[in-house]
Amino acid sequence: DINVCILENYPECSNPRLFYIIPYFCGQHPRCREPGEWALERAKLNVNENFLLVGILEELEDVLLLLERFLPHYFKDVLSIYKNPEHRKLGNLTVTVKKTVPSPEAIQILYQRMRYEYEFYYYVKEQFHLLKRKFGLKSHIRKPRPRPEFFIPSPLETEEPIDDEEEDDEKWLEDIYKR
């Protein structure tokens, strides 16, 4: 049971592998392997300086739209391919059997163990939404799951793009390529 695993500190639910997204974005420095503020801030910096786009799976269609816009040679018609019924069949081949929802106590422990990972996720999500705003992308986001406000401080949310015509889209994109 997932609750027993978390609450009784079984290795599968408490090992350092719970800290795995930040090291990927942080880099090869030894401190990138240690959960903490330093690795988190370095990962954020790398996202801003070294990646054209970091998307989030919950908004995959928007990620594909932006990729098609940024790199049309590689991603031409990617959304129509993704929506193709044949592709959809391939994506539904795996399901979780006997899925149980963790208790609130177990969720709180997981959030504490993964607090830097969650903070990084919300940062990337915010940056992704800002990028969508820049390009006026209005998505049809399903109602997001409620955030556990009592576990993690809530960063600025940018769920829907806001009309912002202060900066020309093409100039902004050119600036990215100059880096």
Side-chain angles (χ1 to χ4, degrees), residues 97-108:
V97 180
K98 296 183 182 178
K99 189 174 189 176
T100 59
V101 177
S103 69
E105 297 83 17
I107 290 173
Q108 185 173 18

Side-chain angles (χ1 to χ4, degrees), residues 160-173:
E160 281 300 315
I162 299 170
D163 292 331
D164 187 5
E165 298 183 22
E166 290 181 22
E167 191 173 349
D168 180 40
D169 286 348
E170 299 305 318
K171 182 185 177 314
W172 183 82
L173 186 56

Side-chain angles (χ1 to χ4, degrees), residues 11-27:
E12 301 86 38
C13 298
S14 64
N15 71 24
R17 288 181 34 191
L18 292 174
F19 181 72
Y20 66 98
I21 299 294
I22 291 174
Y24 175 81
F25 284 95
C26 181

Side-chain angles (χ1 to χ4, degrees), residues 99-117:
K99 189 174 189 176
T100 59
V101 177
S103 69
E105 297 83 17
I107 290 173
Q108 185 173 18
I109 289 170
L110 278 179
Y111 276 110
Q112 288 304 313
R113 289 180 186 161
M114 299 176 67
R115 68 184 172 276
Y116 297 113
E117 294 286 309

Side-chain angles (χ1 to χ4, degrees), residues 126-174:
E126 179 184 330
Q127 295 305 306
F128 180 67
H129 288 166
L130 291 172
L131 186 63
K132 285 177 22 177
R133 277 183 34 200
K134 287 262 186 208
F135 286 91
L137 181 61
K138 294 193 180 209
S139 59
H140 301 70
I141 303 170
R142 279 181 248 121
K143 180 103 172 136
R145 279 187 268 161
R147 293 260 311 270
E149 301 297 337
F150 54 97
F151 296 121
I152 296 174
S154 174
L156 173 66
E157 290 289 336
T158 56
E159 288 300 331
E160 281 300 315
I162 299 170
D163 292 331
D164 187 5
E165 298 183 22
E166 290 181 22
E167 191 173 349
D168 180 40
D169 286 348
E170 299 305 318
K171 182 185 177 314
W172 183 82
L173 186 56
E174 288 171 13

